Amino acid sequence: MKTIPPVLSRIALACAIINIAAIPAVADESPKFVLKYGIVSGLTGDSSAAGQAWNEAARLAINYTADTLKRMNLNDISVVLADSQDSQGSPQTGVEVAQKLVKVDGVNVIIGDTFSSVTSAIASSVAIPNKVAIFTGGTSPALTKLNTIQPGYLWQAITADDVQGKVLAQIAGESFGPTAKITIAARNDAYGTNLSAVFKDAWTAKGGTILKTVIYNPQQPLLDSEAREIVAGNPDGWLVIDFCQTFAKLALPLIRSGQWDASKTFGSDTLNDCQSKGTRNYPGMRAVQANASSGASFPAFKALYAEKARPGVAFASFTAEAFDSVFVAFLAALQARSADPSKFVAEVEKITNDPGDNYTFEHLDDAIKAVLAGRKIHFNGATGPIAYTPIGRAGASAYDVWQVQADGSSKVIATVPLKP
């Protein structure tokens, strides 16, 4: 057998080592992460019924995702609900509970709040400075500006009030006439003042008159003097911006005045079907709400809620926004192969818009397989296409006009289509 001289053998070995070193290491493409969620909503206080339903919808989505991962044997990826916290509808309390979720529980994603004022405080003081993603049910246009602090961390899962205000003005104009005199009654917070300002601008731009704007403190024990201001001057119609629980406090003196007509009153989206939220409906009263049920998977979401939600927490269609947000955050993290929001927030817009194969939560396992295979996806929510924009806003496809019937029930009487 021919032997290799020692010198040549050493040269060959050195060359082999050099060649091996020149080959780049293959990265492990299999993602391994734990995505931690925290939920913030008004579980007590002015909007407790809505807050409880928001919490349930998010919790169901987290459980559904966890069960799907387990069924697929993807044991290196997990999602967990760290905790649900009660903001009580208070910005100060919201900041305190968000600090707990971020600093103690180490959450990557916050789902909530439905209050714009609470969301603003949480986003600016806690979520954005700590690079935690937040998906909110808040509708204030001012929330969009917070994305200039650190772009990409705040996502508004519902159409903002600068759109709702214009839709309200359009529908009210069709009902009362474009030059009618309207009185606005609005709660004194970011939601009330911002939406009333947008409506006022849209209404007066088309020749309408704002007879009076009454901004009131919903925490007051009595609102009798405010009610007298609201009915003064014989307005052609009213716009009321409030939550159902506190509007019930205002409605009593309005009824006693004998000068208020519910059939000539439009309410904001939060006054849609107060009966389903545990307070009274007023026959003839109308409210507009972004259509949150246009998605093909909405019936499946509603069925899942009926089966799995805690007893006593009534279903509300708007909670589809919380439900969808859980899946959007998860799929964005999966696409980024990381639970680090600084890495996955850039994926949110991509997975909620075309191009890409379309998936709903009903086919979450297929969506996961597609992402892991490197294919583009478009996640379509129970709310519809979602279509997040670069400034963190979801694109609504339509607004529904609800009206209270003579028997106290509410139903959609018209749908106003919108461009995303």
Side-chain angles (χ1 to χ4, degrees):
M1 182 175 68
K2 188 175 181 179
T3 59
I4 299 174
V7 173
L8 293 178
S9 177
R10 287 194 293 273
I11 292 173
L13 178 61
C15 290
I17 292 172
I18 291 171
N19 288 337
I20 291 171
I23 299 173
V26 177
D28 181 6
E29 292 297 325
S30 178
K32 299 177 181 179
F33 63 80
V34 178
L35 187 66
K36 294 183 179 181
Y37 294 87
I39 305 172
V40 178
S41 61
L43 301 177
T44 59
D46 287 351
S47 194
S48 58
Q52 292 281 356
W54 177 271
N55 180 71
E56 276 303 288
R59 186 184 66 83
L60 290 175
I62 294 167
N63 289 346
Y64 188 96
T65 305
D67 290 344
T68 300
L69 290 169
K70 184 177 180 180
R71 188 174 65 252
M72 296 177 69
N73 293 316
L74 293 174
N75 300 319
D76 289 333
I77 308 170
S78 61
V79 297
V80 296
L81 173 58
D83 202 2
S84 295
Q85 289 288 318
D86 180 13
S87 70
Q88 301 174 14
S90 162
Q92 180 178 348
T93 303
V95 168
E96 292 170 359
V97 300
Q99 288 280 16
K100 186 264 182 187
L101 290 173
V102 171
K103 299 296 186 181
V104 178
D105 298 316
V107 302
N108 311 107
V109 182
I110 293 175
I111 306 293
D113 198 300
T114 54
F115 287 87
S116 294
S117 56
V118 177
T119 296
S120 179
I122 291 175
S124 59
S125 301
V126 183
I128 295 175
N130 289 284
K131 296 186 177 180
V132 170
I134 178 169
F135 291 78
T136 177
T139 57
S140 171
L143 294 175
T144 305
K145 297 178 182 178
L146 293 177
N147 261 331
T148 61
I149 300 173
Q150 185 78 41
Y153 287 91
L154 175 61
W155 300 92
Q156 284 180 274
I158 182 171
T159 307
D161 291 333
D162 49 1
V163 177
Q164 182 186 172
K166 294 173 184 177
V167 172
L168 275 165
Q170 174 187 331
I171 297 169
E174 292 170 358
S175 179
F176 304 132
T179 60
K181 298 181 297 182
I182 300 293
T183 287
I184 302 172
R187 59 187 288 127
N188 188 15
D189 62 9
Y191 174 56
T193 56
N194 283 319
L195 180 52
S196 61
V198 173
F199 176 85
K200 179 179 179 180
D201 289 344
W203 186 253
T204 56
K206 294 186 177 182
T209 299
I210 300 299
L211 191 62
K212 186 178 292 189
T213 299
V214 181
I215 304 295
Y216 58 91
N217 179 4
Q219 303 304 323
Q220 289 177 209
L222 297 173
L223 294 170
D224 292 69
S225 61
E226 288 78 5
R228 287 192 292 271
E229 283 189 76
I230 291 166
V231 299
N234 193 30
D236 297 313
W238 292 269
L239 170 65
V240 180
I241 305 167
D242 203 346
F243 295 110
C244 290
Q245 284 79 357
T246 42
F247 175 61
K249 190 192 309 182
L250 175 64
L252 290 175
L254 286 176
I255 293 170
R256 287 197 298 267
S257 73
Q259 300 176 62
W260 177 63
D261 188 344
S263 68
K264 295 181 179 180
T265 303
F266 278 90
S268 55
D269 58 339
T270 47
L271 290 178
N272 169 49
D273 192 10
C274 289
Q275 184 170 278
S276 69
K277 302 179 181 75
T279 61
R280 180 181 170 184
N281 273 342
Y282 302 90
M285 188 170 173
R286 285 162 286 182
V288 302
Q289 185 177 53
N291 187 309
S293 57
S294 64
S297 64
F298 184 83
F301 161 55
K302 190 174 182 179
L304 178 68
Y305 192 102
E307 179 187 359
K308 301 285 188 179
R310 289 183 293 116
V313 182
F315 177 79
S317 60
F318 84 93
T319 61
E321 295 144 9
F323 187 74
D324 289 346
S325 294
V326 169
F327 297 113
V328 170
F330 165 69
L331 290 170
L334 187 68
Q335 187 153 292
R337 265 91 170 145
S338 174
D340 182 350
S342 68
K343 296 180 180 178
F344 75 68
V345 292
E347 307 299 325
V348 171
E349 184 189 352
K350 297 175 187 176
I351 65 163
T352 57
N353 285 278
D354 289 330
D357 295 331
N358 290 285
Y359 296 96
T360 70
F361 87 92
E362 294 179 272
H363 303 100
L364 181 61
D365 51 350
D366 292 331
I368 292 171
K369 291 174 186 176
V371 172
L372 292 178
R375 299 198 301 272
K376 291 182 178 180
I377 71 165
H378 179 176
F379 177 75
N380 288 268
T383 57
I386 303 178
Y388 271 120
T389 67
I391 59 173
R393 289 188 176 189
S397 57
Y399 266 86
D400 292 329
V401 183
W402 291 75
Q403 186 168 39
V404 180
Q405 305 302 296
D407 64 358
S409 64
S410 291
K411 71 175 185 179
V412 176
I413 61 169
T415 297
V416 180
L418 297 174
K419 293 181 180 181

